[in-house]
Amino acid sequence: MSIQIFNLLGISRDSVFEEQLSFADYLTDFIQETETSHFSGTLLPESIEGPINPWFFAQELLSKSSKLPFIAINPCFVHPLYVVRNLYNLSTFYQRPMYLNFITGGSAADSMKISDVLSKEEKYNRLNEFITIVQELLTANESETYSFKGKYYTLDNIVFKGSLPAQLQPVFHIAGSSEFAQQLLQQKKMIQLKMGESLSKLSLNASQKISYHFGIITRETTEEAQEVLKFFSKKDRKRSILQQISIKQSQSVWKESVYKCYKASEEDTVYSLQPFVNGYSDVPYLVGSYEDVSTYIQTYIEKGVESLIVEIPKTGFDEIQQINSVIRKLNITS
């Protein structure tokens, strides 16, 4: 059974966990840890206020490791030509395919900071045009000109010599669970990236390819893992209130649904929304012994999940190595 498992460095909101390293050392250390792990690569997020340029990180990852970059792309930051050119350069130079996660951004407050005032539906319409251009340019006949005329993008008779062979074509994902995201997923036949679900509430559809995103806290015993969870996401009234405000202001359907799941959730000894509800993360967590967490993930895989994105919590401990103990128990081939 083949599946790709990517990591994502979680950003702690507590200064006590901040790294005492330079930016260069910080990235280098994370890349080296990933290289010696059982992860397939790293998801590189895109954010308005984050310091890391995902394309820069992708090149560092490709040049210093054997792993695969999984890049989040938001049309409010880049033009499709920029994306295609970067894909062509990196994929052909390093002879590795890239993974892409197309997003529209989930925070209305963040959108206002850069005057991206489109409605949710308009953002997905823009994303539709964006993806269409990227797909067509990557497979375009290099001896012909290319034109595209849409509401958000216009390209007029350009000659783009940057198409990719089949083995280097990127693996496309679209993040989102709204009706607009669902419509685009059906139209583009791409993989949906969504939050990991409790096994009691799995909503996998055989006709739709799914990738799951979640965090992991694991140790030899469940009791040890629960102690780390308490330390990582201890209750804080101010933080919880801010998270509730964020959920209400968010344009993301998944945030609302995850919170509703928490309020009406059945007892699950592994699946935890504590870091999410307490404001320490934006994803659900699997918490427990190596055996219990690996069994949980194996069920995801056997149900047909395409790939997994695992947030690495910044607890002050070496969580990548702990999670490696879970991955080694899985019946998979990368």
Side-chain angles (χ1 to χ4, degrees):
M1 192 174 296
S2 177
I3 189 168
Q4 303 285 7
I5 304 178
F6 296 87
N7 61 27
L8 169 67
L9 184 60
I11 300 173
S12 168
R13 297 177 175 91
D14 275 329
S15 59
V16 68
F17 297 138
E18 290 303 312
E19 302 290 338
Q20 302 299 314
L21 296 171
S22 69
F23 177 70
D25 288 340
Y26 180 75
L27 293 185
T28 300
D29 286 355
F30 188 71
I31 289 171
Q32 289 175 346
E33 277 195 277
T34 299
E35 175 63 15
T36 58
S37 74
H38 287 75
F39 286 102
S40 307
T42 297
L43 174 63
L44 313 169
E46 180 72 279
S47 95
I48 289 172
E49 297 176 346
I52 297 176
N53 180 327
W55 293 102
F56 171 78
F57 193 113
Q59 184 163 0
E60 288 292 289
L61 188 70
L62 287 165
S63 66
K64 295 178 179 177
S65 80
S66 61
K67 305 300 184 176
L68 299 171
F70 193 155
I71 297 181
I73 297 173
N74 189 336
C76 73
F77 295 124
V78 293
H79 191 277
L81 275 174
Y82 178 85
V83 169
V84 175
R85 185 175 293 112
N86 275 281
L87 284 170
Y88 176 80
N89 279 261
L90 293 174
S91 293
T92 55
F93 189 85
Y94 295 101
Q95 286 297 295
R96 271 177 269 173
M98 308 276 279
Y99 278 63
L100 302 183
N101 179 33
F102 290 104
I103 63 176
T104 61
S107 169
D110 279 352
S111 293
M112 290 302 295
K113 290 176 183 178
I114 57 172
S115 296
D116 189 26
V117 295
L118 299 180
S119 68
K120 192 178 188 73
E121 181 177 11
E122 289 171 326
K123 286 182 179 180
Y124 275 101
N125 289 337
R126 177 178 64 184
L127 186 60
N128 190 346
E129 290 187 13
F130 192 104
I131 292 172
T132 298
I133 293 170
V134 170
Q135 286 182 311
E136 291 181 350
L137 283 176
L138 287 175
T139 57
N141 186 330
E142 294 184 355
S143 64
E144 298 177 358
T145 60
Y146 176 80
S147 296
F148 179 91
K149 186 170 180 59
K151 180 177 180 181
Y152 305 96
Y153 301 99
T154 298
L155 284 76
D156 188 22
N157 290 320
I158 66 169
V159 178
F160 188 83
K161 299 188 181 298
S163 58
L164 286 173
Q167 70 271 20
L168 292 179
Q169 285 290 330
V171 180
F172 294 104
H173 294 68
I174 296 174
S177 299
S178 69
E179 60 176 309
F180 307 117
Q182 295 293 340
Q183 290 169 4
L184 187 54
L185 282 160
Q186 290 175 11
Q187 180 180 342
K188 295 297 185 182
K189 307 298 182 187
M190 292 180 174
I191 303 169
Q192 180 183 14
L193 179 56
K194 61 187 297 187
M195 295 301 117
E197 298 175 293
S198 167
L199 292 184
S200 65
K201 299 181 181 298
L202 281 183
S203 58
L204 298 177
N205 185 333
S207 64
Q208 174 62 55
K209 295 181 177 181
I210 299 290
S211 288
Y212 270 166
H213 183 190
F214 51 86
I216 291 178
I217 292 177
T218 186
R219 293 295 187 271
E220 276 197 43
T221 68
T222 296
E223 292 74 22
E224 289 175 287
Q226 287 293 336
E227 283 300 313
V228 177
L229 174 67
K230 290 177 185 177
F231 176 68
F232 170 64
S233 58
K234 55 187 177 294
K235 287 187 178 180
D236 182 297
R237 184 172 180 274
K238 180 179 178 181
R239 189 188 299 274
S240 298
I241 291 172
L242 289 174
Q243 180 74 321
Q244 291 177 39
I245 293 172
S246 171
I247 293 167
K248 290 177 181 178
Q249 291 181 341
S250 173
Q251 295 179 320
S252 295
V253 168
W254 68 262
K255 266 196 171 185
E256 297 174 4
S257 63
V258 166
Y259 192 63
K260 287 178 182 176
C261 270
Y262 171 75
K263 292 195 293 184
S265 64
E266 297 176 8
E267 185 68 24
D268 190 318
T269 58
V270 174
Y271 187 87
S272 174
L273 292 172
Q274 181 177 313
F276 174 82
V277 174
N278 288 354
Y280 290 86
S281 175
D282 283 336
V283 301
Y285 264 70
L286 303 184
V287 182
S289 67
Y290 303 144
E291 190 67 40
D292 288 346
V293 174
S294 63
T295 299
Y296 210 94
I297 294 174
Q298 192 69 51
T299 304
Y300 282 161
I301 295 169
E302 290 170 359
K303 292 291 185 180
V305 173
E306 293 283 318
S307 57
L308 305 172
I309 295 87
V310 179
E311 177 176 287
I312 310 298
K314 292 177 69 175
T315 63
F317 301 101
D318 190 349
E319 297 300 335
I320 286 184
Q321 292 308 313
Q322 298 291 339
I323 296 168
N324 258 333
S325 298
V326 168
I327 299 176
R328 281 195 293 266
K329 289 180 174 292
L330 298 175
N331 179 24
I332 60 171
T333 56
S334 58

